[in-house]
Amino acid sequence: MPFLRRIMELCLIAVVPVILAGPAGAQGTPLYEQPPFDTLTIKPEFGGGTFKMLPLGLRNGLTPSPLPREGTLTVTFADEPDDKYEVEWSAIAAIITYHEAVFAELQQQLRRGAFDAAHGYFDYLFRNAPNFPGLQDAYESMLMTEARQYLRTGDTQNMTARFERLYAENKTHAELRQLWSSQIDAQLAALMQHENCDEMRAILTMFEERYPDNEVNKKWFAAIQRLAQSYVTRAGECYAARQYLEAYDGIENARRVLGDPDALRDVERSLKALCPRIVVAVSESANLPVSIFPMEDQLVPSNDMPVPLTGATIRSRRLLQHTLVEYSGSGIDGGIYSSPLGLFSDVMFSETETGFEWTLHEDLKWASDGQTMTAFDLAETLERLCFHQNDTDAHGHNYMIEQLFREIDVIDSRTVRVRLNRESLFPESRLREPLSRSQSIAFMGVSYTEENVPDDQRDWNGPYRLKRFEPRSPERNRHFDRAFYQRNANDSLSMNDKPGVLVEQTLPAGSDAMQLLLEGKIDLVEHVPPDRVAAYRLQSKLVLGNYAAPRVHFLLPNRNKPGTSSRTFLRGMLYGLDRDWMLRQLLGDNASDGTVLSAPLPKRTKADDPFGYAYNDRIIPRPYEPKLAVALAVTAYNQVKSRELKRQLAEQQEVAADLRATEGDDETALTAQNRDLHGYLALVPDELVLACPPNDTARNACLMIQQQWRTVGIPVRIVEYRPNERVGRGTDVDFWYVEMTMLEPCVDLELLFGNNGMVTHRSEYIEQAMSHVRLARNWQEAVEALENLHRVIYNETTVLPLWQINGHFAHRHELSGVPDEVFCLYDQVEQWRLEEN
């Protein structure tokens, strides 16, 4: 028997170990990733041994059971693929096919609990041997075991994924329905605590499709119906009690629970007719009073730490407080101002002395308690602004008006006359401040009577009251903040048929505000992204409006940092920005809406532009010069390193001298400190921190700034503004991205360079230039002073100017009464009307 002899010879020189589950895996490569082979074992009486063969071609890849006793089997050794041999079945003790070996190794992985590794084995076997005995049972068992493990650890996402897969494999699995039902019941109970009915409905719908008419679904659908009915009932009760904001809450909650229940329609229709509600999408929450917030650290209280007069603050203040004067339009000689409190007129005391006079409207009342507004309220407000020049008001203003007023006289209970100390441009523009209650009332023993009015809102006398603030709540599937304003029925300065409820809803990053408008989920969006203006114009159901004044964008450096306090470094960083290219990216097809700037001042875009008088067109913006940016940045950092090193060494030597005087000689410690200092002062910081406002336009601009600065070797990390952050203060930020609207540039420059402005470290040149602007008596002096200030800002690189962009807002056609052009979004909010189809 030649073949038998061949087998015996090979047994002496090429005995192959038994290929079972384990050895291949121990080598680091799973068996199913190795070339396929079968294992043949010869009986001892025929020479014995185990050999690796190319696949034997057995039916279904399985070893016959029992093995045949007659005939021969054709085999090919794995190491001799070109030769075929025959072996008698009677000489074969055992055969392990490749699929059987893979399955055996799979079972070993399952016993070890290596489920991640086991998935690869299952994938191979289901593709190559789908009918392998025990494969399906093993897979279902593994899925159930995994699901139980995820259930114990609370990983509902992976657990549900295993349940879903097990259901797809075997819809009638004995344990699946019971275990899944138990898990669904617990998950829905947790969601019901947060009233997250959107997710509850999704889970119930999914489970109903798999197991119709199950008890868990019946239980929780009934619970949702009861919750919705309680909201419907509550909405009706609040409507009957004229609690309109609470009635809207009930309707909104019921719709959130059930979608669009018919039971709401009558209540909602009556409520909208009596108390219309308008939803405005905004980029950021305004500077709100601390009493509104459920947590002390939710926002910075406005009375404790002033914030810059941002667009959000201007927006909300127009709702909450009437100011002494308002910017009501623009003319050839700057802004036009009027007073909502009464008649406001200029007075000539002599050829050289001027002033103005207020006569308050009759029957003006404080909304909080019905007390009459008097001339004493107005006079004391003006005196506070004049003689508390070192104090900081709620918005960081300091318009230097103490240098402007000479006398403030109360003529009668309704009239105040003000005499100016000197001639000045736009003295009334410095009075865009809210009226505050006279302290004389407190001295007279008069007490406040209205209940539920927080102390920090008692002097708020605007057309609306801020009733509630809701921070974003991911557990309730709401990823935006909301501020609720209710019509102030006691406001004696504006009509009382204005919209009853106004809701400001912040837009999360990347939100499609246009789609929300078209769906009727919001009524107005505060800012349309510049690159989307053309798309909004194409929508016949939407109205596109304009902001009269452009928004100026610039980077404000933190002068408390060594690097960003260097003029050379700042100039290098500016040369590293291709502002023309960046602006084109931001504007898209709307290129005419923006221009690059050489200073943080609005620029004239047409001959009769009333806002660009402070801009010097002869100063050209610095070009994009990346090589120069690198050179200046390195030079500046070397200067900073040298200066900081000398300062630190001087401080340490002084400390060491004190130690020697008190504790003896410590020269060794001083040497070690110097050595550590040299290692510590690696000049370039790990990264610069750039603070970004919470809107998509600013985010896109900051991403481009980050990319371009990285190109010149300066790493940048972007962070988002903290709520109501005091821009220009603190040490954890290197640059702030700032957007400002300057209605009256010669006055609003105080927001940047005033005593309480954003620029905290002002050179003597800036201070001198600003003093000339403040003292300007006529247009000729003002223009000369502003041109000089522009030149100083440019030379000093006080800030990094970027560009100005003309802003747009948009609203639904159903919202009428909104002007086509506004200075502030809520300029004529009292005239807004919402007419639903």
Side-chain angles (χ1 to χ4, degrees), residues 74-146:
T74 303
V75 299
T76 302
F77 288 92
D79 58 349
E80 296 182 13
D82 296 330
D83 297 328
K84 296 183 180 297
Y85 301 91
E86 290 189 353
V87 60
E88 293 183 0
W89 278 105
S90 59
I92 299 174
I95 296 175
I96 299 177
T97 68
Y98 183 66
H99 291 161
E100 290 170 338
V102 171
F103 186 68
E105 192 168 289
L106 165 63
Q107 290 179 310
Q108 185 177 2
Q109 299 284 7
L110 294 176
R111 286 192 294 270
R112 291 168 49 201
F115 299 124
D116 290 340
H119 280 282
Y121 290 88
F122 278 116
D123 182 62
Y124 173 83
L125 289 172
F126 276 122
R127 283 187 287 107
N128 296 279
N131 297 319
F132 193 90
L135 178 63
Q136 184 65 29
D137 290 341
Y139 187 56
E140 293 178 10
S141 176
M142 183 192 72
L143 291 174
M144 180 57 72
T145 303
E146 282 188 296

Side-chain angles (χ1 to χ4, degrees), residues 342-412:
L343 299 177
F344 180 77
S345 59
D346 294 332
V347 176
M348 292 294 297
F349 295 98
S350 67
E351 293 183 358
T352 57
E353 289 187 305
T354 62
F356 37 80
E357 185 174 278
W358 259 294
T359 300
L360 299 178
H361 295 307
E362 294 184 3
D363 298 325
L364 291 183
K365 306 290 185 182
W366 289 101
S368 59
D369 56 11
Q371 293 289 334
T372 300
M373 292 183 188
T374 69
F376 293 100
D377 295 326
L378 178 57
E380 290 197 20
T381 300
L382 295 173
E383 288 179 359
R384 175 181 59 82
L385 295 174
C386 285
F387 302 116
H388 292 76
Q389 60 200 48
N390 295 322
D391 294 342
T392 305
D393 66 52
H395 301 292
H397 284 50
N398 192 326
Y399 284 168
M400 306 296 288
I401 59 177
E402 73 280 355
Q403 300 178 2
L404 192 61
F405 293 173
R406 173 180 295 181
E407 293 179 359
I408 302 172
D409 296 326
V410 177
I411 305 304
D412 55 42

Side-chain angles (χ1 to χ4, degrees), residues 132 475 515 575 739:
F132 193 90
E475 62 273 7
Q515 188 62 33
Y575 279 121
E739 305 173 47

